[in-house]
Amino acid sequence: MELIFATNNQHKVEEIRAVLDDNFSILTLKEAGIDIDIPEPHDTIEANASEKSSVIHQLTGKNCFSEDTGLECEALNGAPGVKSARYAGEHKSFQDNIDLLQKNLSGKSNRKAQFKTIISLLLDNKEYLFEGICKGQIIEEQRGKGGFGYDPVFVPEGSTLTFAQMSMEEKSKISHRAKAVKKLVEFLNNYTPSTNN
Ligand code: IMP
């Protein structure tokens, strides 16, 4: 079965290809011949993930999935959340986003935060959602050079390192995205069209 993954992030695609069995073939947007900036107009991570997969399904008529991720801080009532990529503006600067986050958290003792990933799978005209959460806290200084986004200030529960101080393999063992992908892969590897429709 062929599935389009609504991303052009080759790393994310390889991660999923490595764990899916041979019955599935994953195409990036580019490989599927699609060149669009998919909108993210909604107020929730779930709704944006659904929007992305439904846009791709409307364009291609094919089975597909998308993912959307946000960082939710307890003391900021879940912000930046769905706005994580554009927290400090449309230019989507990782450093500006971190700076604004630190400013908004300054003076607050509650530094608890979590990353949430939602994967929306549209398969045989049905939608399935898979969630992955990684809890942790935002530290005041930046540590590490790896990863991306808010990684230099996020220390996951049970660790003393930020995500940016971990290797990709270490991060992938505990990350929000890895947890959601694991659920997707388990579902797909057990999926048979006749029993699920
Ligand atoms: P996306 O939907 O996966 O592109 O994520 C939206 C935004 O959330 C990104 O631009 C990053 O700022 C942030 N983000 C998502 N995943 C991670 C992560 O694993 N580490 C740090 N920041 C992340």
Side-chain angles (χ1 to χ4, degrees):
M1 180 189 291
E2 204 167 73
L3 283 168
I4 299 174
F5 183 11
T7 185
N8 278 317
N9 183 326
Q10 199 60 33
H11 172 76
K12 291 180 184 173
V13 176
E14 294 310 327
E15 225 178 65
I16 291 192
R17 279 186 181 142
V19 284
L20 270 181
D21 72 27
D22 294 343
N23 296 325
F24 295 94
S25 136
I26 303 291
L27 294 180
T28 62
L29 288 179
K30 202 168 165 199
E31 288 163 345
I34 301 165
D35 180 18
I36 53 162
D37 195 15
I38 307 173
E40 296 187 335
H42 299 290
D43 291 340
T44 64
I45 295 168
E46 285 81 356
N48 279 334
S50 292
E51 171 94 14
K52 285 191 220 176
S53 55
S54 104
V55 166
I56 298 308
H57 184 67
Q58 280 162 26
L59 278 174
T60 62
K62 292 195 175 158
N63 293 321
C64 58
F65 63 94
S66 69
E67 62 137 32
D68 202 45
T69 297
L71 173 71
E72 300 176 329
C73 295
E74 209 173 86
L76 303 177
N77 299 317
V82 73
K83 303 239 178 307
S84 293
R86 297 173 174 79
Y87 195 36
E90 284 301 318
H91 59 303
K92 298 200 215 170
S93 154
F94 291 150
Q95 188 57 54
D96 289 355
N97 286 340
I98 288 176
D99 291 345
L100 181 60
L101 184 70
Q102 296 292 20
K103 187 174 155 220
N104 291 340
L105 282 175
S106 74
K108 300 201 190 289
S109 54
N110 181 357
R111 312 279 300 188
K112 282 188 198 160
Q114 63 177 28
F115 278 112
K116 182 163 94 175
T117 292
I118 299 289
I119 291 177
S120 159
L121 168 70
L122 271 178
L123 186 58
D124 297 332
N125 295 313
K126 264 189 173 168
E127 185 185 26
Y128 304 88
L129 294 177
F130 305 93
E131 183 185 78
I133 286 182
C134 182
K135 290 180 185 291
Q137 57 169 320
I138 303 298
I139 56 167
E140 286 181 20
E141 76 280 11
Q142 290 188 210
R143 285 202 251 126
K145 298 264 179 251
F148 69 102
Y150 300 90
D151 279 350
V153 293
F154 184 82
V155 175
E157 258 176 20
S159 177
T160 53
L161 302 178
T162 66
F163 267 163
Q165 292 176 299
M166 294 181 186
S167 67
M168 199 138 70
E169 289 71 31
E170 284 173 311
K171 181 182 169 186
S172 291
K173 279 185 203 148
I174 53 172
S175 85
H176 40 295
R177 192 169 298 102
K179 287 175 184 163
V181 166
K182 188 162 179 261
K183 290 179 188 170
L184 169 75
V185 167
E186 270 167 18
F187 177 84
L188 286 175
N189 284 339
N190 288 310
Y191 183 78
T192 44
S194 53
T195 55
N196 286 277
N197 284 307

